Amino acid sequence: MTADIIKFILGIKIFWNKYRKILQYLLPVVLIGMLVVIRLTLFGFIAETPYLYFFLVVILCTWVGEFYAGILTTLISAVVANYFFIPPMGFDLRPTAFFGMAFFIFEGILLTYLIENRRQSVQNLHNSNKRITNILESITDAFISFDKDWHIVYCNPQVHDYFGWKRRDVLGKNIWEKFPETTGGVFYKACHKSMKSGMPHHFEAQSLRSHKWFEVRTYPASEGLNVYITDISDRKDVDKLKDNFISIASHELKTPTTAILAFSQLLKKHLTRSRDSQSKMLANKIETQLKRLINLLNVLLDISKIQNGRLELHPEYFDLNDIVNQQIASVLSSSPHHKIIFKSQLKTRIYGDKFRLGQVLANLLTNAIKYSPIGSKIYVRTNKVGQNIKVEVTDSGVGIPKIEQKKIFDVYYRAQSQKDVVSGFGLGLYISSEIVKSHHGSMKVKSQPGNGSTFYFTLPVVAKSDIATYVKRLNSKKDNPWPQTHL
Ligand code: ADP
């Protein structure tokens, strides 16, 4: 029965769409005719308010037809109502009847205009929604839209390819209830952070299900959160190949280069007694360049270790001030024209990897020298602040614009103003901040262009009784350095 009714309605709809152009003008005539017949058969039934019933016809015809169908209905209705329903039958052009008709025409046109206007707005909204949906349906990336209560209000078909979700199973469902395993994970945290802060968020993670790599962008909106997900597995594979190549190449290059350095040092020693100053100078140059090359190879190896979670730390208690003094002496031996002033109020020994933290200090001091004028002063300070050790290196050099300060610790990042002026790879700060992070500390910068910079890092003070837990935490990240998601 219901099926028959639906079939009948659909039939009418198809018929209407097919002959719409004629029907929309025929309908007013039929309806008005029917109204007249009803009026004439049920005599006196609508005589008191003749125009009121015609408004119904105007509304109906404008709604299903077009603007001009509505105008036509208004005009025909005005004439018919005047002729048939204002007694006596026939055209009545006395002032009251005439103004009544004119007023009806005015109201009818206004009504037609308003209905048409509304219909157009609804149609435009519908069209633009359809356009947006078409775009979202055809893109190769996945798109999910949540309301404020985390119900999935829309997702495109790509969620099936990406995560194996069937749309009809997830639409309208609360995502964390539908996929409880995602709760507390990287995706969950990013979505909540974004919804709470009202700020977009961006992260990359590997799916624990499909092992694909995804780049996820979250965009908060007034009605909830939109999430845009791109499959970046191909890019990650290429990155991995590149990283492997760099790692193997630097490893393989390091052995012969270290051997050549040893030979060049032997040669230099041999030449100390010689009078051949040209050869001595050349041997010195070879040694300096080889040291630079080995330094670069070490940096590349460190990058590879960090990115694969293989950076090993060998923590012990040591006097940080001793290491600072050693690094200052070492840096000054190759750049004697700067003045480095070291002030310390640090009494405690610190627990960490002496070699790696020395490397961090060397990088900060070398940068301070590299990016500040010859003869300028550099200040180094070590302090205990609360439960942390704080180390600061301040220069009065070129400084870093605010907008670049956030990216300065990213791998390969170099400030735009320095790119072509001072040579470098943009790796030192990345390695340093990763070493500090591995110690559960953090590294930051305060700077003003033209007024110098202060790079500082903090490290937790580790009590002897906490060593076991601290070492456990140091190593816990190493099993898997990459964020993973249950999606
Ligand atoms: P590199 O110095 O080899 O380029 P780093 O990772 O050590 O690599 O530094 C990254 C970038 O940060 C540098 O290219 C430079 O633009 C900026 N930078 C680092 N230290 C300073 C500093 N003390 N003053 C101004 N800019 C700095």
Side-chain angles (χ1 to χ4, degrees), residues 391-403:
V391 183
E392 287 178 293
V393 178
T394 305
D395 64 57
S396 48
V398 290
I400 305 158
K402 188 109 198 139
I403 192 144

Side-chain angles (χ1 to χ4, degrees), residues 367 370-371 395 400 408 413-415 424-429 453:
N367 278 351
K370 238 164 84 174
Y371 299 104
D395 64 57
I400 305 158
I408 214 81
Y413 192 84
R414 305 202 65 217
F425 292 98
L427 297 174
L429 283 181
S453 316

Side-chain angles (χ1 to χ4, degrees), residues 16 23-38 46 49-78 80-81 85 104 108-109 111-112 115:
W16 174 266
L23 288 178
Q24 66 181 350
Y25 291 103
L26 204 63
L27 184 73
V29 178
V30 173
L31 287 179
I32 292 168
M34 278 166 64
L35 208 63
V36 173
V37 172
I38 292 170
I46 52 172
T49 48
Y51 290 115
L52 198 59
Y53 296 86
F54 285 95
F55 274 125
L56 278 179
V57 183
V58 172
I59 292 170
L60 193 72
C61 292
T62 315
W63 189 248
V64 294
E66 279 176 357
F67 178 68
Y68 293 109
I71 298 286
L72 184 75
T73 318
T74 307
L75 294 176
I76 300 176
S77 302
V80 170
F85 305 129
F104 171 77
I109 292 174
L111 200 62
T112 308
I115 293 173

Side-chain angles (χ1 to χ4, degrees), residues 1-10:
M1 178 68 178
T2 335
D4 288 342
I5 296 172
I6 294 173
K7 241 183 186 171
F8 178 70
I9 295 171
L10 274 178

